[in-house]
Amino acid sequence: MDVTETTQKTFALTTPLYYVNDVPHIGSAYTTIAADAIARFKRLQGNSVLLITGTDEHGQKIQRTAEAARCEPQVHCDRIVSSFEDLWKQLQIQYDRFSRTTAPRHEGVVKDFFQRVWDNRDIYLNQQQGWYCVSCEEFKEKRELVDEKYCPIHSNKEVEWRDEQNYFFRLSRYQKQLEKLYRDRPDFIRPESRRNEVIAFVGQGLQDFSISRVNLDWGFPVPIDPSQTLYVWFDALLGYVSALLGADEEPTLENAIAKWWPIDLHLIGKDILRFHAVYWPAMLMSANLPLPGRIFGHGFLTKDGKKMGKSLGNTLDPVALVNQFSPDAVRYYFLKEIEFGQDGDYNQTRFINILNADLANDLGNLLNRTVKMAHKYFDGTVPAIAAEAISPDNPLKSIGDSLTDSVAQSYDALAFSQVCEAILTLMRAGNKYVDEKAPWALYKQGDLEAVGEVLYCVLESVRQAAYLLSPIVPNLSQAVYEQLGYAIDFHDRRVGETSAPFDTHGRWGILPPEQPLGKPQPVFQKLEMPASTES
């Protein structure tokens, strides 16, 4: 019996299914980078991981966008989807499933789910009257409107008056069950500020919401009434479920939920919190399905302290950013510099300064000068020092011994900035240790053993730092490991199960004595401030 296989834990997580009205923006990249970092970390721990991303492709907004571009909706969707796939490749996102709500197999799951909710008498026909935002695909209460005619989110788009018969979902029926859920599972919605928002919203009283539209062709017909089309959110949220189907499985709800359901973590932007933290669990309760483990709503991004938008001419193109710098640089800045869950800002000067200080100097330069000394003093090998012989009071060993668990806890809490800061504490201590111990002076004094201990401690600390940072900056970590003489691939999805398990490589003191080192060279090129485009 393969014990590893029978006891291996599973972990499933999702990004939002991004709306395909336009090519991906930096906010979409931000969520997906975070999801990929968590997926990579869970794989390091030996979990069987399923990372789902994808696109939400139905609805009136898509239909109108395609009409404006004079093409069929499916043609428009295919074009935008390819831009998402290309960007994820550039950012080195290791997703396992790409869910598309236009996929034929998705419709089978939607039909099964609808039938369950219908059988539970939670769907009924009623008149819907009110102000509708096409961009949100949602009716708005009059009190929400700006200047009585604009959506509070899409403030440049006027709402439209609708008066039509729709099918409704009995959300009001689940008020008490949702309130109990939030009480019993305080970690269901994170961070705490998002949880408080949801509790306040639900506390005002829930109203049933429309799950169908008339005069709309682009979407799945309502199974019991083909004259109406399923509302985008009722359809789109189920993309998380249909993505769980194996390639050859019949597209039924039962097959979809057989292995990976419930999802452990939904990562979303705070603008779609209500749909995921209120509508979605109520729908699942109605269908008698287990609820997800956690819903995390992160903040918005600004540029130079200002809201981004095409009308302002200050959008940040993620493709251009990756091409100008590197995937590691982009991944590191947004996860380290912004507290995940809060709003955050991009500023190019700060971007360059942080990358140079943290990765080029604190980590990269420390490794470079230490490897050079190992080549000079120990013939290009790791000094023959036993890690267990080094005193627990050694400043680097002391930090390294406590680093593993604290970093793991921070990853689990999605506190990426804390992960980076904890690892930087070790790197800064390493630079200070080298300066204070002055191994070059010890060598001149003939104390080769002391030199060996200094170099071993620094090399091992950089190794541990690179390993723990690998979910965020896999290319840099790969370069560090190669320079330390390892043949380990951090892009291998089984790296935590096979060549570099977390329980060993995550801990301080495993660098093999006398292991041949690679040629010393920078592992992260210092970034230069681009020349001004102003004349």
Side-chain angles (χ1 to χ4, degrees):
M1 179 187 293
D2 186 337
V3 177
T4 303
E5 189 172 315
T6 57
T7 60
Q8 189 178 35
K9 293 180 180 178
T10 61
F11 188 86
L13 73 162
T14 74
T15 72
L17 300 184
Y18 299 108
Y19 210 45
V20 294
N21 57 306
D22 206 348
V23 295
H25 52 73
I26 193 65
S28 309
Y30 179 48
T31 322
T32 312
I33 290 167
D36 184 66
I38 289 297
R40 286 175 180 267
F41 176 71
K42 289 296 182 181
R43 291 188 192 108
L44 284 185
Q45 291 184 311
N47 295 287
S48 178
V49 174
L50 192 78
L51 170 55
I52 297 166
T53 187
T55 45
D56 169 11
E57 303 178 28
H58 286 144
Q60 191 166 55
K61 183 161 58 169
I62 300 303
Q63 185 169 304
R64 289 186 180 180
T65 301
E67 288 170 356
R70 298 182 179 179
C71 68
E72 292 298 316
Q74 190 66 61
V75 172
H76 165 80
C77 291
D78 292 345
R79 180 177 63 84
I80 299 297
V81 164
S82 67
S83 68
F84 276 93
E85 292 174 328
D86 290 345
L87 178 59
W88 295 170
K89 186 175 181 179
Q90 284 182 279
L91 285 168
Q92 298 182 319
I93 306 298
Q94 290 187 327
Y95 62 84
D96 300 286
R97 304 280 171 83
F98 195 100
S99 181
R100 297 187 61 177
T101 58
T102 53
R105 60 206 330 254
H106 175 61
E107 186 172 10
V109 171
V110 171
K111 284 181 176 178
D112 285 358
F113 188 91
F114 182 95
Q115 192 63 48
R116 281 198 184 201
V117 178
W118 174 261
D119 291 345
N120 203 27
R121 299 182 178 179
D122 280 336
I123 295 173
Y124 65 95
L125 191 64
N126 198 14
Q127 195 73 17
Q128 175 80 326
Q129 192 179 69
W131 295 107
Y132 188 73
C133 173
V134 174
S135 294
C136 289
E137 300 281 8
E138 181 186 23
F139 281 91
K140 300 290 181 181
E141 295 183 27
K142 189 173 181 180
R143 64 182 178 179
E144 294 181 85
L145 301 180
V146 178
D147 296 332
E148 297 188 347
K149 61 179 181 179
Y150 293 101
C151 169
I153 297 173
H154 303 94
S155 54
N156 61 337
K157 301 283 180 69
E158 287 193 33
V159 291
E160 301 176 3
W161 181 256
R162 297 286 176 88
D163 187 357
E164 59 191 42
Q165 271 208 330
N166 295 152
Y167 286 91
F168 281 71
F169 172 72
R170 294 187 196 275
L171 181 64
S172 58
R173 183 179 180 184
Y174 293 91
Q175 169 111 20
K176 291 183 178 179
Q177 285 175 255
L178 288 169
E179 290 174 335
K180 183 177 187 302
L181 166 67
Y182 307 145
R183 283 196 307 271
D184 294 350
R185 290 173 55 183
D187 287 338
F188 180 69
I189 305 167
R190 295 281 90 189
E192 186 71 18
S193 57
R194 302 284 108 78
R195 178 174 181 266
N196 292 337
E197 287 175 31
V198 170
I199 289 173
F201 172 75
V202 174
Q204 293 175 1
L206 293 177
Q207 296 181 351
D208 299 348
F209 71 92
S210 168
I211 63 167
S212 72
R213 298 290 182 265
V214 295
N215 302 319
L216 173 64
D217 300 325
W218 188 237
F220 295 140
V222 172
I224 58 167
D225 183 357
S227 70
Q228 298 221 21
T229 301
L230 277 175
Y231 167 51
V232 62
W233 280 102
F234 194 88
D235 159 13
L237 288 162
L238 289 163
Y240 298 134
V241 181
S242 58
L244 303 176
L245 287 164
D248 299 324
E249 287 185 301
E250 183 184 354
T252 66
L253 181 61
E254 284 297 330
N255 285 341
I257 65 174
K259 177 180 178 182
W260 291 99
W261 190 262
I263 299 294
D264 294 277
L265 173 66
H266 285 306
L267 281 182
I268 58 169
K270 65 181 181 180
D271 55 325
I272 52 174
L273 179 67
R274 186 185 305 176
F275 299 102
H276 287 78
V278 182
Y279 294 13
W280 184 221
M283 288 163 55
L284 292 168
M285 289 173 181
S286 176
N288 197 29
L289 292 179
L291 303 185
R294 187 168 35 148
I295 294 164
F296 196 103
H298 66 72
F300 290 155
L301 299 179
T302 55
K303 183 181 179 186
D304 301 324
K306 297 177 182 178
K307 182 179 178 180
M308 284 184 268
K310 287 184 177 180
S311 60
L312 299 172
N314 69 337
T315 56
L316 185 61
D317 180 2
V319 175
L321 199 62
V322 174
N323 289 339
Q324 185 175 7
F325 297 108
S326 71
D328 274 5
V330 175
R331 292 168 66 105
Y332 184 82
Y333 176 85
F334 284 102
L335 293 187
K336 188 263 182 180
E337 182 62 10
I338 298 168
E339 182 182 346
F340 199 65
Q342 305 302 312
D343 292 346
D345 187 64
Y346 172 84
N347 173 272
Q348 188 175 76
T349 300
R350 190 161 67 247
F351 178 94
I352 290 172
N353 289 342
I354 285 171
L355 269 296
N356 286 342
D358 296 359
L359 301 188
N361 294 338
D362 286 345
L363 191 153
N365 188 50
L366 177 62
L367 174 67
N368 191 256
R369 62 175 177 156
T370 310
V371 171
K372 283 181 178 177
M373 284 189 279
H375 273 269
K376 183 175 181 180
Y377 304 144
F378 294 94
D379 297 322
T381 64
V382 176
I385 301 292
E388 57 271 17
I390 297 170
S391 169
D393 295 332
N394 179 285
L396 301 189
K397 185 175 184 178
S398 175
I399 295 171
D401 283 345
S402 62
L403 189 63
T404 315
D405 293 338
S406 67
V407 164
Q409 289 169 10
S410 294
Y411 270 119
D412 284 337
L414 278 66
F416 302 108
S417 54
Q418 291 180 22
V419 168
C420 296
E421 280 299 334
I423 293 168
L424 284 172
T425 298
L426 178 60
M427 292 299 89
R428 290 164 186 154
N431 280 292
K432 181 181 178 183
Y433 182 70
V434 170
D435 292 341
E436 290 179 348
K437 292 294 184 182
W440 49 90
L442 293 172
Y443 182 77
K444 287 181 180 178
Q445 295 167 16
D447 194 349
L448 201 60
E449 185 175 347
V451 174
E453 180 170 320
V454 172
L455 297 190
Y456 181 89
C457 289
V458 174
L459 290 171
E460 170 58 4
S461 296
V462 177
R463 181 211 61 76
Q464 185 190 29
Y467 182 85
L468 295 175
L469 272 177
S470 66
I472 297 173
V473 284
N475 295 325
L476 179 143
S477 298
Q478 184 76 34
V480 170
Y481 257 60
E482 287 174 0
Q483 210 160 126
L484 293 176
Y486 286 98
I488 289 171
D489 181 4
F490 281 106
H491 293 295
D492 181 352
R493 300 190 194 209
R494 297 194 63 204
V495 64
E497 297 174 52
T498 54
S499 55
F502 186 81
D503 285 344
T504 52
H505 280 251
R507 305 206 173 269
W508 199 94
I510 70 152
L511 189 62
E514 300 183 283
Q515 176 162 284
L517 296 168
K519 181 181 177 181
Q521 54 190 357
V523 291
F524 188 88
Q525 293 292 341
K526 192 170 183 179
L527 304 180
E528 299 294 336
M529 185 68 72
S532 174
T533 56
E534 296 177 1
S535 56

